[in-house]
Amino acid sequence: MSNNSISAAAASVAATASLNQAAPERGRTQWSTRLAFILAATGSAVGLGNIWKFPYITGENGGGAFVLLYLGCIALIGIPLLMAEIMIGRRGKQSPPDAMKALAIEAGVSPRWQIVGWVGVITGFVLLSFYLVVAGWAVAYIFNAGGGAFAGASSDEIGGLFGSLVGDPLASTLWGSLVLAITATIVIKGVKLGLERAVTIMMPGLLLILLILVGYSMTTGQFAHGFEFMFSPDFSKLTGTSVLVALGHAFFSLSLAGGGMMTYGSYLPKQVSLGRTVLTIGLLDTLVALIAGLAIFPIVFANGLEPGAGPGLIFVTLPLAFGQMPFGQLVGVLFFIMLSFAALTSAISLLEPAVSWLTEKRGFSRLKAGLLTSAGIWLLSLGSVFSFNIWEEHKLYGKTFFDVLDYLTSGWIMPLSGLAMAVFTGWIMTKAATRDELGEGLGHRVWHFLIRYIVPVGILLIFLNAIGVL
């Protein structure tokens, strides 16, 4: 059905009217304040990637030049797509599948676009199943640090401590289950009593701890070295791989294409400026990553450790430093509390889309929806737990169960879902519809150009790199 046909025009008008009336008719919950939404969305974006992954990939790719490259990717790829995803949620005023369906009907195209929303819900479900395993390790390390397990320990001893944690299926299951239980409890309580209360405690707490750690890093004698490493660019250290890594991390660090941002957007009141709000979220997310680097690198340098230590930076390299430095026990506890807060604020955004859909479309109570969804996620998480111990030798094309889930979600599903959202908002939705959400003026024109031409190219590069073509 073409957009210029009389029937499509009538359908569009009817759909628009339906969209405008949808929220009051369903009594849809909304965020109490713009700040609550910013904290929730920033909490969704600020996860293990900002505090665990960003520092070590910065170390692996030479520091300052990579940081500048990453910031450019955030501005050109991450923020425009984040704006698109939240816009779909707010305009659709429903769970991701139904929001996509409603906007497709409004645009006069096939309602099968709801598949993109379904992919987001399913992606969040799968992501949380292995994310909570890593988050469980972070929670376990709070107690390891507090119990003095790092004090005076050698590199081999720290490595053995981590190995014993991931190699014990019962321990990993228990810690992951604790993360899931906390996450489910928050989500079951709803938007105002659960999500809002949690993020208004955890996000300020995370930022406060992060600033305390930066203050401690200033006393190590290596803060200037750490600052120079992060902000003094040496472009000779950049490679083609660095560009692809920066693109990929800009995409994943904003929690895009996992259904959470679309769901959070559906609770956002119409009168809130979408553009300014999304820019604030992108700025805060990036700021946390940069401050985390300033907290971590001086400690690493002060203890003669390697900044490009890879994924082991957080669970092996830093604990080694905590065990050698003054007040290391306290600093270690604070660090892993902060890391756990970051993991939890992301986890609730991964669980919320599925719970939201079950309550809206199947009439479940939030308690029933939360328990049912959590049970499924817990069962799936066992495969990831066992990937590091009893199933370690069972591999598919050289990948463990954990690796397969990670590869499918981050390598295939999320980039393709992000690409579909860019195409939908840039080419399928009318300019009138997107202007209605983003406002008139230069900001909309810049966003429209980026979402049409720059974002799809960037996502394609991420996808091709993830599947090994580039």
Side-chain angles (χ1 to χ4, degrees), residues 177-191 193-195 197-198 344 348 351-352 355 366-367 370-371 374:
S177 298
L178 176 61
V179 171
L180 183 59
I182 295 171
T183 302
T185 300
I186 292 169
V187 170
I188 285 169
K189 288 185 176 181
V191 174
L193 297 179
L195 276 64
R197 284 188 177 179
L344 284 167
I348 60 177
L351 182 59
E352 177 64 18
V355 171
R366 287 190 74 91
L367 175 61
L371 292 176
S374 297

Side-chain angles (χ1 to χ4, degrees), residues 107-148:
V109 298
S110 171
R112 290 174 181 164
W113 276 96
Q114 70 179 312
I115 293 171
V116 177
W118 271 116
V119 169
V121 173
I122 295 169
T123 300
F125 184 98
V126 175
L127 271 172
L128 185 53
S129 75
F130 63 86
Y131 190 87
L132 66 88
V133 176
V134 181
W137 300 341
V139 175
Y141 263 50
I142 296 173
F143 296 91
N144 285 337

Side-chain angles (χ1 to χ4, degrees), residues 110 183 199 239 335:
S110 171
T183 302
V199 297
T239 64
F335 180 85

Side-chain angles (χ1 to χ4, degrees), residues 168-252:
D168 183 344
L170 179 59
S172 282
T173 299
L174 290 175
W175 289 115
S177 298
L178 176 61
V179 171
L180 183 59
I182 295 171
T183 302
T185 300
I186 292 169
V187 170
I188 285 169
K189 288 185 176 181
V191 174
K192 294 181 186 288
L193 297 179
L195 276 64
E196 280 193 14
R197 284 188 177 179
V199 297
T200 53
I201 293 171
M202 286 191 285
M203 283 307 297
L206 183 153
L207 293 171
L208 177 61
I209 294 172
L210 195 53
L211 291 175
I212 291 172
L213 293 175
V214 171
Y216 180 84
S217 291
M218 291 179 177
T219 69
T220 62
Q222 292 295 319
F223 187 79
H225 186 188
F227 188 92
E228 182 181 4
F229 178 77
M230 286 194 64
F231 298 109
S232 180
D234 181 356
F235 292 99
S236 67
K237 294 182 179 179
L238 288 180
T239 64
T241 301
S242 301
V243 176
L244 295 172
V245 170
L247 270 173
H249 193 63
F251 181 88
F252 295 112

Side-chain angles (χ1 to χ4, degrees), residues 192-333:
K192 294 181 186 288
L193 297 179
L195 276 64
E196 280 193 14
R197 284 188 177 179
V199 297
T200 53
I201 293 171
M202 286 191 285
M203 283 307 297
L206 183 153
L207 293 171
L208 177 61
I209 294 172
L210 195 53
L211 291 175
I212 291 172
L213 293 175
V214 171
Y216 180 84
S217 291
M218 291 179 177
T219 69
T220 62
Q222 292 295 319
F223 187 79
H225 186 188
F227 188 92
E228 182 181 4
F229 178 77
M230 286 194 64
F231 298 109
S232 180
D234 181 356
F235 292 99
S236 67
K237 294 182 179 179
L238 288 180
T239 64
T241 301
S242 301
V243 176
L244 295 172
V245 170
L247 270 173
H249 193 63
F251 181 88
F252 295 112
S253 73
L254 287 172
S255 195
L256 299 169
M261 288 300 188
M262 199 183 295
T263 305
Y264 280 8
S266 71
Y267 305 137
L268 186 64
K270 178 72 174 177
Q271 67 270 21
V272 173
S273 171
L274 193 56
R276 287 198 299 271
T277 301
V278 171
L279 287 174
T280 302
I281 294 165
L283 177 64
L284 288 174
D285 175 72
T286 305
L287 194 60
V288 168
L290 296 176
I291 295 174
L294 287 176
I296 291 170
F297 288 126
I299 293 173
V300 169
F301 291 137
N303 290 275
L305 302 173
E306 175 55 49
L313 178 66
I314 296 301
F315 291 109
V316 178
T317 304
L318 274 178
L320 180 62
F322 296 148
Q324 298 172 356
M325 64 194 201
F327 306 105
Q329 190 169 341
L330 174 60
V331 173
V333 169

